Amino acid sequence: MTEVPYRIRRSDRARRVRVSVDALEGVEVVLPRRGTERDAREAMRELGPWVARRLAEIERARRELGRRPGFVPYLDGELRLVPEAGRVRAHRRGDDLLVPGTGGAAAPGAGSPGAAAPAGVSPDWREAAERWFRRAARAEISPRLDRACAEVGLEWGPLSIRGQRTRWASCSTTGAMSFNWRLLLAPEGVLDAVVWHEVCHLEVADHSPRFWSLLGRRCPDHREHQRWLRRYGPALVL
């Protein structure tokens, strides 16, 4: 088996060795503070087949998504990346997303795992674009929560936008909502289904048969969208 490159990160919170596979950051081995490089090698040797499968799944998902070079997805559409020299913040203008540029050829490290970046893009474009997507996520999700809750006579609490690797959304017992900004890289129906999932948690906190029955009435095609997210979610990166 071909050796897979990985990086090591030590954490005071880690109690055991963990291996993660991410479309943007690759393979990471998290070690307890006193963990050794030998521990990392052993973990990679033991989990090598699983790591290879995850990398293959992400690559397959990327190919099937068919991202166009120089574009990023936005719900059911896409935005064209337009680099501008001197720009610090990303800004949407119509179907263009203006991002930091260099004024010349593409800078080293500026390429995107999701789609090839255009010439002249700055290495900082992805960070600027993510900040923009976080703002856009709040603007897209808040009215969807308002509409869903008004339909069922419920209220939702504070909204936070995050960028977790594996969790797409959550609802606390107090009604506080958390959503992953990367949902804006998925089709609109997927985002709507995740919103309904969390709104249903305002009534049923667990994933009991009662919850799934409630979600099925409120969002009949939720399983289709859940399958899409399981298959393509790991590849939803800028």
Side-chain angles (χ1 to χ4, degrees):
M1 180 179 296
T2 304
E3 185 173 346
V4 176
Y6 61 91
R7 70 180 182 283
I8 295 174
R9 178 170 63 87
R10 288 181 168 80
S11 169
D12 291 329
R13 299 177 60 183
R15 295 292 178 264
R16 58 184 178 82
V17 180
R18 300 196 310 271
V19 178
S20 64
V21 181
D22 183 83
L24 183 61
E25 300 181 3
V27 182
E28 179 182 76
V29 180
V30 180
L31 296 176
R33 184 57 59 185
R34 295 185 178 181
T36 65
E37 292 188 7
R38 180 179 178 180
D39 295 330
R41 289 195 299 271
E42 290 178 351
M44 285 297 296
R45 185 163 50 248
E46 178 182 349
L47 296 175
W50 173 80
V51 170
R53 285 196 304 273
R54 290 294 294 152
L55 289 172
E57 289 170 359
I58 291 172
E59 182 57 31
R60 180 201 64 205
R62 283 176 176 167
R63 291 196 305 268
E64 292 179 356
L65 286 173
R67 296 264 294 272
R68 288 204 293 166
F71 289 78
V72 292
Y74 186 89
L75 298 177
D76 288 341
E78 59 183 3
L79 302 175
R80 181 171 68 106
L81 295 174
V82 179
E84 288 190 344
R87 174 169 290 279
V88 176
R89 288 166 58 93
H91 173 71
R92 181 176 180 176
R93 186 171 61 198
D95 289 333
D96 291 342
L97 185 63
L98 311 182
V99 295
T102 62
S112 166
V121 75
S122 165
D124 299 329
W125 82 268
R126 189 179 293 113
E127 289 79 5
E130 178 178 330
R131 290 193 294 272
W132 181 86
F133 266 93
R134 285 175 179 264
R135 296 192 297 272
R138 183 174 296 276
E140 292 281 359
I141 292 168
S142 292
R144 284 174 164 81
L145 286 171
D146 284 340
R147 289 193 296 269
C149 285
E151 185 175 327
V152 298
L154 299 171
E155 293 185 357
W156 54 283
L159 171 64
S160 61
I161 304 297
R162 300 181 180 178
Q164 309 98 312
R165 290 184 181 179
T166 57
R167 174 170 287 190
W168 294 106
S170 64
C171 174
S172 75
T173 55
T174 62
M177 296 287 187
S178 172
F179 284 81
N180 196 315
W181 67 266
R182 293 191 297 125
L183 286 165
L184 267 61
L185 303 177
E188 190 164 3
V190 172
L191 174 59
D192 291 336
V194 175
V195 167
W196 270 116
H197 185 113
E198 301 312 322
V199 168
C200 286
H201 274 316
L202 292 172
E203 294 184 67
V204 184
D206 55 31
H207 287 115
S208 63
R210 178 170 168 249
F211 169 83
W212 293 113
S213 176
L214 180 64
L215 180 57
R217 294 196 302 273
R218 302 269 170 78
C219 183
D221 54 358
H222 72 95
R223 295 189 186 280
E224 172 189 344
H225 298 306
Q226 287 173 342
R227 286 193 294 269
W228 191 98
L229 203 51
R230 281 197 298 270
R231 185 176 184 86
Y232 297 110
L236 297 182
V237 297
L238 293 174

